[in-house]
Amino acid sequence: MTPGGAPSWSFGPADSKKIEEVLDTLLYESNARCALLVDRTGQLVVTVGEQPDFDSAAFASLTAADFSANDQLASLIGEEEFSSLFHQGRSESMYLADVGKRLILVVLFNKQTTLGLVRIKIRNAVSDLNKAFEEVFGRERGEARPLERDFVNEAEDEIDRLFRE
Amino acid sequence: MSMINYASREINCKIVYYGPGLGGKTTNLEYIFNKVAPNTRGKLISLATESERTLFFDFLPVDLGTIRGFKTRFHLYTVPGQVYYNASRKLILKGVDGVVFVADSQVERLDANIESMHNLYENLAEYGYDLRQIPFVIQYNKRDLPNVSPVEELDQHLNPDRVPSYEGVATTGVGVFDTLKAVAKLVIKSLG
């Protein structure tokens, strides 16, 4: 059983740099506007490109739900997974792709580019991201650093302050 | 489970409100949404049917501020309570850090509470989680109604491990913050 609460993975500045480089290249080559990485539990990991003007926490939770619901739909029709999803709007569209079963890459793009180009470039980026994250997930057990004791005390005080009538 | 992002120095914790249909899970979140300072919370997202029954989930991010250099947030989710929606209910439990079980105290809802509690254990087990090792609190809601079971009886059926439990009237906010504070502190402790 997995004990609850313990951080299951952590993500440092060096990881971030590597991953942002992959996403920067993706945006440059595909001419897409913005790329977001969301974990499967609905948390935003990183955003690259034009900073979105929407509520990114809500966006991340809905993205994870969207992807999870589609996973279930895939299994109902006898597919192992839908490794990517495409949502087409009148001017804005989004393409979602699985990264190592742990994360979802979301790319927002408009008519400055084409679905075909975005799809090809995402395929390369997903392969690079998988390599980068193998390292992150590989060390999750051994090197997860617990937070300092003062963090817990201060957080508890803040909880009392925030959640009061 | 929670993700600690040392690059952007963020900690996000996922708390899920579970329980039988029409038990008051969404009402808990609505009360929190209306009472916490607007600058500390995001939008309340509700994926509900036209009759306002939760179809997939409700979602409310609450920002605890920056603590020891870490921007700390709680992501509060509800699940759909109706038995029928188990597939979506299970999805929301993925990566959960803390659980609040909102029980409906009315006598006639006892069986529905028990069924939902079993369902919670089962769904968590499918992810390899054990509820006894996850921060967990119970809220006995609707204590203002005339036909409620005594808390001792509810404890007997729903709370064999005697996790922290709170009496609540979510419509007026009674017990809502006590419940949230308790689970939030347990989650924070589990990170330390």
Side-chain angles (χ1 to χ4, degrees):
Chain A
M1 291 284 176
T2 309
S8 66
W9 61 291
S10 59
F11 188 72
D15 307 314
S16 180
K17 187 164 174 284
K18 210 180 298 172
I19 282 146
E20 283 176 21
E21 277 171 12
V22 173
L23 297 181
D24 278 333
T25 306
L26 165 65
L27 292 185
Y28 177 75
E29 291 183 350
S30 68
N31 214 17
R33 289 176 46 220
C34 172
L36 305 97
L37 262 181
V38 174
D39 88 350
R40 289 280 190 138
T41 73
Q43 303 187 35
L44 183 63
V45 178
V46 69
T47 308
V48 169
E50 282 177 39
Q51 286 304 303
D53 54 6
F54 48 73
D55 180 340
S56 54
F59 184 88
S61 77
L62 290 168
T63 298
D66 182 21
F67 220 84
S68 297
N70 277 287
D71 266 352
Q72 297 298 310
L73 289 173
S75 84
L76 286 177
I77 64 163
E79 278 292 321
E80 196 180 319
E81 60 174 8
F82 295 138
S83 58
S84 59
L85 302 172
F86 170 52
H87 297 307
Q88 184 171 26
R90 215 174 332 173
S91 58
E92 300 291 328
S93 297
M94 52 194 269
Y95 196 97
L96 299 86
D98 170 68
V99 179
K101 306 267 184 216
R102 300 285 288 264
L103 295 152
I104 302 156
L105 169 61
V106 188
V107 175
L108 303 180
F109 62 99
N110 55 23
K111 289 184 175 152
Q112 304 289 321
T113 185
T114 63
L115 170 62
L117 181 62
V118 170
R119 182 180 284 164
I120 290 169
K121 296 301 175 188
I122 282 183
R123 207 173 293 161
N124 299 340
V126 164
S127 155
D128 292 343
L129 289 171
N130 273 324
K131 275 183 222 144
F133 274 105
E134 259 172 35
E135 203 181 310
V136 173
F137 296 140
R139 64 162 182 257
E140 65 187 289
R141 295 264 171 252
E143 293 174 32
R145 285 173 280 175
L147 293 159
E148 49 189 306
R149 184 162 189 80
D150 288 343
F151 174 87
V152 174
N153 295 337
E154 282 184 30
E156 287 189 337
D157 290 346
E158 203 53 39
I159 286 167
D160 284 330
R161 198 190 58 76
L162 182 62
F163 300 139
R164 65 177 177 206
E165 306 297 326
Chain B
M1 299 296 134
S2 57
M3 178 195 67
I4 301 184
N5 189 334
Y6 288 99
S8 56
R9 298 191 71 77
E10 285 181 20
I11 298 174
N12 294 315
C13 307
K14 181 173 188 173
I15 295 174
V16 174
Y17 283 69
Y18 212 90
L22 295 173
K25 300 175 291 297
T26 300
T27 311
N28 265 268
L29 253 62
E30 286 170 345
Y31 185 84
I32 295 161
F33 176 80
N34 287 319
K35 286 291 174 179
V36 296
N39 60 340
T40 62
R41 47 111 168 119
K43 266 189 208 157
L44 174 61
I45 302 280
S46 284
L47 302 188
T49 64
E50 280 178 16
S51 56
E52 297 193 355
R53 300 295 301 269
T54 305
L55 175 66
F56 201 165
F57 61 88
D58 306 302
F59 170 71
L60 175 65
V62 184
D63 210 329
L64 203 55
T66 301
I67 297 169
R68 295 263 142 184
F70 282 96
K71 205 167 162 40
T72 307
R73 273 195 216 100
F74 291 108
H75 288 175
L76 310 181
Y77 284 83
T78 67
V79 298
Q82 288 162 286
V83 174
Y84 178 74
Y85 291 126
N86 193 47
S88 34
R89 193 161 43 240
K90 204 173 101 188
L91 295 177
I92 303 307
L93 285 174
K94 196 178 179 84
V96 66
D97 294 300
V99 178
V100 174
F101 187 90
V102 180
D104 187 332
S105 297
Q106 297 177 92
V107 172
E108 67 270 23
R109 298 294 286 160
L110 183 61
D111 286 346
N113 290 323
I114 293 169
E115 186 182 0
S116 177
M117 187 66 87
H118 283 160
N119 177 255
L120 171 60
Y121 273 93
E122 279 165 18
N123 281 339
L124 285 172
E126 284 193 38
Y127 285 122
Y129 308 153
D130 180 353
L131 188 56
R132 282 161 298 190
Q133 295 184 49
I134 293 177
F136 178 44
V137 304
I138 297 177
Q139 180 185 84
Y140 297 127
N141 193 24
K142 308 197 184 185
R143 298 307 297 174
D144 57 329
L145 297 182
N147 56 333
V148 295
S149 304
V151 168
E152 298 70 39
E153 190 185 336
L154 291 166
D155 264 339
Q156 200 186 326
H157 289 287
L158 301 172
N159 193 8
D161 295 326
R162 296 294 187 263
V163 299
S165 66
Y166 300 88
E167 294 186 45
V169 183
T171 47
T172 59
V174 174
V176 169
F177 278 141
D178 289 339
T179 309
L180 177 57
K181 271 194 277 194
V183 74
K185 286 182 181 180
L186 288 173
V187 167
I188 289 293
K189 272 205 188 88
S190 72
L191 295 175

